[in-house]
């Protein structure tokens, strides 16, 4: 079958199981080929090929609503809904999104890039359906990793209590981005080995009723025995206790098994959970045998060998720099412990875990818990380092406000993927943390200009004892600078002048420093002298340096790879207002007030006007004409 001919999934209704098997193989080969060029979430999608085909055969999208949790496993869904021809543009600028996207298709009813949101959204849709008197199925598809998120458990409790008709598909591959952890994961493990409780119950009831004279009474007794029986047959019966009818475990790669259980689920009144067992990476040997889940999200690779295509002699990744600094410090200070919300691999903490297995705590996809756990440790004199992506730190905001900053606890935050992240797009762009952290009392926030300064900032955070402190660092690799052998602390709130100048000043930090230096150098050749300052402390700012600049009435341009509203530049404006510098010229460059979609970081810079040429243009407008003529 030519996948490009597919416009909608209705054709699946007439497909035999044999035809579906061939289609599944075609889809897998297509994904393996296309993602070898574009990169993307390969392992997760290879694992749900049969499941997605079965869902679209049994249910009727878009009347029935598929709610994909996280959404990185929705590529097959995109193929079946007419988007095959766009896969050459997957995760590329203005191309096909790597997650469900409402403006791409009527079949995408919920957008997501963070985990554990599907069940709450599905409950909202079910309530709306019932209020409107409609009769359609709501089908959230959630992984066993996402089920560890507190929001998912809150929604399970609500759905079960309200007895809403929702068919939850639990896609259980025993992994999320990494091996899952926690007690709930162990409960699912016991369920995986259980017999088919519902099948045995129905068969037993049928046999009892066939016994002459006493069969009906025995069946009634058997019904009363049901609760005892289910505890015996399926250890825990966690979901049934929450009010769900449980079907499974189901072989997620067997169409007969899938159809049988999905049809049961579709006809069952009240909330249902279908526990589907799948193999992540199925059909591609390198991904099937991957024990570290390096095939979750991948860049380009060689199909034959699975070898990743990477630049040679690249500088170390930022996450590696921070993780290695933590190892150095941990050898000398037993107070240091590292916490991560299911991101050991993403935050490059494997080596730390190997060396200090009792000082690294993976709490699963539970950012709120991770944040307050860190606060609790800090009350006991420990020095917790929470390694967390900027976009995931958003999920622990109340805990930051209420548990960490309000109590002024010495929690260190390693804010990974700070700034634009590129292909993952708007759900993952780490551009809001400056604004929401800068506004919190007691918070200290910094960002290094290079990896050498980055390792010193880890030491700075370790020695800081006056409250919470965060280090922002971007996705990708460092600059390749020489690294000092000894770690040292940087004075809190201190900035540094990277290039002298007298006509104007650029205040910037982190990833935008090279761009600012290039602009300043080029302007110098045109007769303009622009000072470049590494404003490495976003909060507190270097007030002495700011006073000097404003005393000289030097025009200031702030540049940040973060949102402008409430950001660093806003802080400089606030300083000018508080110090009555009403004639001070200050302009800001950064992320505008909208969500930034996917594309390479360079393409996104061009889109929002965060470029060297734009910096030069703005500075020429700022500097008085008489200085330019001079």
């Amino acid at each position: 079958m030519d996948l490009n001919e597919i416009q909608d999934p209705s054709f699946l209704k007439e497909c035999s199981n044999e035809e579906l098997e061939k289609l599944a193989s075609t889809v897998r080969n297509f994904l393996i080929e296309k993602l070898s060029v574009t990169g993307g979430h390969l392992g997760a999608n290879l694992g749900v090929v049969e499941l997605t085909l079965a869902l679209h055969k049994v249910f009727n999208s878009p009347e029935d609503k598929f709610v994909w949790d996280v959404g990185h496993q929705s590529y097959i869904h995109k193929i079946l809904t007419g988007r095959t021809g766009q896969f050459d543009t997957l995760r590329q600028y203005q191309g096909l999104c790597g997650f469900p996207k409402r403006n791409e298709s009527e079949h995408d009813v919920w957008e997501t890039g963070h985990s554990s949101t599907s069940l709450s959204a599905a409950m909202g849709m079910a309530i709306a359906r019932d209020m409107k008197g409609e009769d359609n199925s709501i089908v959230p598809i959630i992984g066993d990793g996402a089920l560890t998120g507190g929001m998912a458990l809150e929604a399970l409790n609500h759905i079960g209590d309200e007895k809403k008709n929702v068919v939850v598909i639990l896609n259980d591959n025993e992994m999320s981005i990494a091996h899952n952890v926690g007690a709930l994961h162990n409960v699912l493990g016991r369920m995986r080995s259980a017999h088919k409780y519902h099948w045995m119950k129905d068969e037993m009831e049928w046999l009892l009723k066939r016994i002459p004279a006493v069969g009906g009474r025995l069946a009634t007794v058997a019904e009363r025995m049901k609760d005892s029986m289910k505890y015996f047959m399926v250890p825990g019966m966690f979901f049934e206790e929450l009010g769900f009818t449980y079907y499974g475990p189901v072989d997620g790669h067997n169409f007969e098994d899938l159809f049988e259980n999905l049809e049961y689920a579709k006809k069952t009144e009240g909330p249902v959970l279908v526990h589907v067992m799948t193999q992540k990476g199925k059909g591609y040997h390198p991904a099937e045998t991957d024990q570290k889940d390096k095939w979750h999200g991948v860049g380009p690779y060689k199909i034959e060998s699975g070898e990743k295509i990477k630049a040679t002699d690249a500088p170390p990744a930022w996450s590696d720099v921070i993780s290695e600094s933590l190892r150095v410090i941990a050898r000398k200070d037993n107070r240091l412990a590292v916490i991560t919300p299911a991101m050991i691999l993403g935050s490059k903490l494997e080596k730390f875990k190997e060396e200090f297995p009792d000082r690294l705590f993976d709490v699963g996809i539970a950012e709120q818990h991770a944040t307050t756990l860190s606060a609790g440790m800090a009350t006991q004199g420990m020095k917790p380092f929470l390694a967390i992506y900027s976009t995931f730190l958003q999920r622990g905001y109340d805990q930051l406000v209420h548990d960490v900053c309000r109590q002024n606890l010495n929690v260190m935050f390693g804010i990974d993927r700070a700034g634009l992240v590129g292909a993952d797009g708007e759900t993952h762009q780490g551009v809001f943390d400056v604004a929401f952290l800068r506004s919190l009392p007691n918070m200290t926030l910094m960002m290094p200009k290079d990896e050498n300064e980055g390792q010193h900032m880890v030491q700075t955070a370790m020695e800081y004892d006056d409250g919470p402190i965060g280090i922002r660092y971007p996705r990708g690799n460092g600059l390749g600078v020489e690294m000092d052998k000894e770690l040292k602390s940087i004075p809190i709130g201190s900035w540094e002048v990277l290039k002298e100048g007298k006509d104007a000043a650029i205040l910037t930090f982190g990833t935008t420093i090279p761009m600012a230096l290039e602009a300043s150098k080029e302007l110098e050749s045109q007769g303009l002298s622009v000072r470049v300052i590494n404003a490495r402390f976003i909060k507190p700012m270097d007030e002495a340096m700011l006073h000097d600049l404003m005393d000289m009435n030097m025009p200031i341009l702030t540049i940040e790879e973060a949102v402008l509203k409430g950001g660093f530049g806003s802080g400089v404006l606030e300083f000018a207002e508080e110090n009555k510098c009403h004639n001070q010229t200050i302009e800001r460059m950064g992320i505008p007030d909208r969500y930034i979609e996917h594309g390479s970081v360079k393409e996104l810079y061009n889109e929002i006007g965060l470029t060297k040429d734009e910096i030069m243009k703005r500075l020429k407008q700022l500097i008085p004409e008489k200085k330019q003529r001079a």
Side-chain angles (χ1 to χ4, degrees):
M1 177 179 224
D2 184 353
L3 300 182
N4 285 292
E5 295 178 357
I6 297 174
Q7 295 302 313
D8 64 69
S10 59
F11 75 97
L12 292 171
K13 307 294 183 186
E14 308 302 322
C15 288
S16 66
N17 286 3
E18 183 179 358
E19 290 171 328
L20 289 173
E21 294 284 359
K22 292 180 180 177
L23 179 57
S25 178
T26 301
V27 168
R28 279 199 171 88
N29 290 335
F30 173 84
L31 290 175
I32 292 167
E33 177 186 346
K34 291 297 181 181
L35 269 61
S36 72
V37 178
T38 64
H41 291 98
L42 181 64
N45 282 283
L46 293 180
V48 297
V49 175
E50 289 85 0
L51 173 59
T52 309
L53 292 173
L55 286 170
H56 274 288
K57 183 177 173 69
V58 172
F59 295 95
N60 301 302
S61 177
E63 290 79 17
D64 295 329
K65 312 301 181 187
F66 292 136
V67 185
W68 299 92
D69 207 292
V70 181
H72 55 236
Q73 77 282 47
S74 62
Y75 293 3
I76 302 94
H77 168 79
K78 288 177 183 270
I79 290 170
L80 296 176
T81 52
R83 286 170 274 181
T84 303
Q86 299 175 54
F87 265 77
D88 286 337
T89 70
L90 179 69
R91 291 160 49 90
Q92 297 178 38
Y93 186 61
Q94 297 185 340
L96 190 67
C97 182
F99 298 98
K101 193 73 175 167
R102 283 158 55 89
N103 65 10
E104 278 185 9
S105 170
E106 63 179 346
H107 297 274
D108 290 7
V109 300
W110 181 252
E111 295 183 10
T112 180
H114 291 176
S115 76
S116 311
T117 67
S118 63
L119 301 184
S120 296
M123 181 57 168
M125 293 176 191
I127 291 172
R129 172 200 62 199
D130 295 348
M131 290 178 68
K132 294 190 293 183
E134 296 174 349
D135 182 24
N136 59 295
S137 296
I138 311 295
V139 188
I141 304 100
I142 185 169
D144 51 326
L147 200 62
T148 66
M151 187 174 172
L153 299 179
E154 292 172 15
L156 279 176
N157 181 60
H158 190 205
I159 294 168
D161 182 58
E162 293 281 347
K163 305 298 181 187
K164 290 294 182 184
N165 286 346
V166 175
V167 179
V168 177
I169 307 299
L170 172 56
N171 173 35
D172 184 357
N173 57 29
E174 301 188 58
M175 295 183 80
S176 46
I177 296 178
H179 287 281
N180 291 325
V181 297
L184 183 57
H185 173 64
N186 296 330
V187 169
L188 293 177
R190 291 196 297 273
M191 289 183 181
R192 292 177 197 117
S193 61
H195 296 290
K196 281 189 175 180
Y197 156 66
H198 282 282
W199 179 85
M200 292 188 68
K201 177 173 73 70
D202 292 344
E203 289 294 302
M204 186 178 291
E205 197 168 309
W206 181 79
L207 288 170
L208 287 173
K209 285 181 177 178
R210 290 179 62 86
I211 300 175
V214 297
R217 290 194 296 275
L218 285 174
T220 301
V221 172
E223 180 65 24
R224 290 199 298 268
M225 292 170 58
K226 181 177 69 172
D227 286 342
S228 299
M229 180 179 161
K230 71 185 179 184
Y231 282 106
F232 174 72
M233 300 305 300
V234 183
M237 284 309 294
F238 176 79
F239 298 109
E240 294 231 358
E241 286 300 307
L242 285 173
F244 285 74
T245 300
Y246 172 85
Y247 292 107
V250 180
D251 183 349
H253 304 295
N254 182 301
F255 282 115
E256 289 186 7
D257 205 9
L258 283 167
F259 293 146
E260 176 188 355
N261 284 276
L262 290 176
E263 291 289 356
Y264 264 125
K266 188 176 181 179
K267 297 172 184 175
T268 301
E269 279 295 313
V272 178
L273 187 136
V274 184
H275 185 182
V276 181
M277 299 294 300
T278 61
Q279 181 184 7
K280 206 166 185 180
K282 185 172 177 61
Y284 184 51
H285 182 71
E288 282 185 345
T289 56
D290 175 23
Q291 293 301 306
K292 294 187 176 180
D293 214 33
K294 294 181 178 179
W295 287 90
H296 171 76
V298 296
Y301 57 91
K302 297 178 181 178
I303 296 176
E304 297 77 13
S305 64
E307 179 185 352
K308 307 295 175 62
I309 301 173
K310 294 183 177 180
T312 57
D313 300 324
W318 271 102
S319 300
D320 271 326
V321 172
I322 302 302
S323 180
E324 181 59 30
S325 302
L326 290 170
R327 289 175 69 203
V328 171
I329 293 171
R331 293 173 192 140
K332 300 176 181 178
D333 196 326
N334 292 329
R335 297 177 301 157
L336 176 63
V338 177
I339 300 94
T340 177
M343 298 307 295
I344 289 178
L345 297 179
S347 292
K348 307 289 186 186
L349 294 168
E350 304 100 311
K351 291 181 180 178
F352 189 96
K353 181 181 179 181
E354 290 172 8
E355 188 171 351
F356 303 103
D358 297 330
R359 294 164 66 181
L360 185 138
F361 302 92
D362 183 351
V363 302
I365 303 174
E367 293 85 0
Q368 291 177 308
H369 170 57
T371 305
T372 300
L373 168 71
S374 302
M377 293 178 71
T379 66
Q380 303 304 304
M382 302 300 289
K383 294 286 290 189
F385 185 99
L386 175 53
I388 186 168
Y389 287 12
S390 170
T391 186
F392 298 155
L393 182 59
Q394 297 162 188
R395 294 159 63 98
Y397 183 70
D398 179 59
Q399 290 65 37
L400 272 168
V401 175
H402 183 272
D403 299 336
V404 178
C405 291
R406 188 180 58 83
Q407 300 187 83
N408 201 31
L409 295 173
N410 295 325
V411 177
M412 299 178 285
F413 293 90
I415 306 168
D416 201 345
R417 277 33 173 205
L420 296 170
V421 297
D424 280 335
E426 58 200 300
T427 59
H428 283 59
Q429 311 283 22
V431 297
F432 301 105
D433 60 89
V434 170
F436 72 69
L437 290 174
R438 196 182 68 80
S439 62
L440 297 180
N442 299 325
M443 189 72 199
T444 293
L445 185 62
M446 52 189 173
M447 187 173 191
K449 67 178 183 295
D450 56 40
E451 56 269 42
N452 186 46
E453 190 168 64
Q455 68 171 351
H456 295 317
M457 284 190 174
V458 179
Q459 180 66 31
T460 303
M462 189 67 194
E463 293 182 8
Y464 185 68
D465 289 323
D466 291 327
I469 186 168
I471 311 168
R472 304 180 81 238
Y473 46 98
R475 183 177 186 174
N477 301 93
L479 304 179
V481 302
E482 186 176 347
M483 303 289 281
D484 295 334
K485 292 183 180 179
E486 295 293 327
L487 300 183
K488 62 184 180 183
S489 187
I490 301 169
I492 299 295
S494 65
W495 294 350
E496 65 171 346
V497 176
L498 301 177
K499 184 179 181 299
E500 287 290 355
K502 63 182 187 308
D503 294 333
I506 297 174
L507 304 182
T508 189
F509 51 89
T511 49
T512 48
I513 285 177
M515 190 189 307
L517 287 169
E518 289 175 16
S520 176
K521 184 177 180 181
E522 193 162 331
L523 285 172
E524 190 172 32
S525 67
Q526 299 176 24
L528 298 178
S529 175
V530 176
R531 186 178 303 184
V532 179
I533 295 170
N534 173 21
R536 56 194 176 190
F537 282 91
I538 300 159
K539 183 184 180 181
M541 297 187 294
D542 191 330
E543 295 190 358
M545 193 174 291
L546 279 172
H547 276 300
D548 288 343
L549 292 173
M550 293 183 186
D551 287 345
M552 292 184 286
N553 199 27
M554 185 180 289
I556 294 172
L557 176 65
T558 68
I559 305 173
E560 55 195 304
E561 193 179 314
V563 292
L564 284 170
K565 289 190 178 294
F568 170 75
S570 294
V572 176
L573 286 170
E574 290 163 12
F575 178 88
E577 187 274 331
E578 290 165 2
N579 289 276
K580 313 301 181 186
C581 301
H582 302 304
N583 296 321
Q584 178 65 46
T585 302
I586 301 171
E587 290 199 12
R588 301 170 300 143
M589 292 179 66
I591 308 294
D593 188 26
R594 62 181 173 83
Y595 289 98
I596 307 300
E597 297 192 1
H598 54 281
S600 72
V601 172
K602 184 177 180 180
E603 288 169 327
L604 299 180
Y605 276 169
N606 288 330
E607 177 186 305
I608 62 177
L610 200 58
T611 63
K612 179 196 72 173
D613 289 343
E614 185 64 23
I615 293 171
M616 293 172 60
K617 176 183 174 183
R618 296 283 290 272
L619 285 166
K620 287 179 179 178
Q621 293 171 348
L622 283 176
I623 298 171
E625 287 188 21
K626 59 182 180 180
K627 286 191 177 181
Q628 295 188 40
R629 289 195 299 270

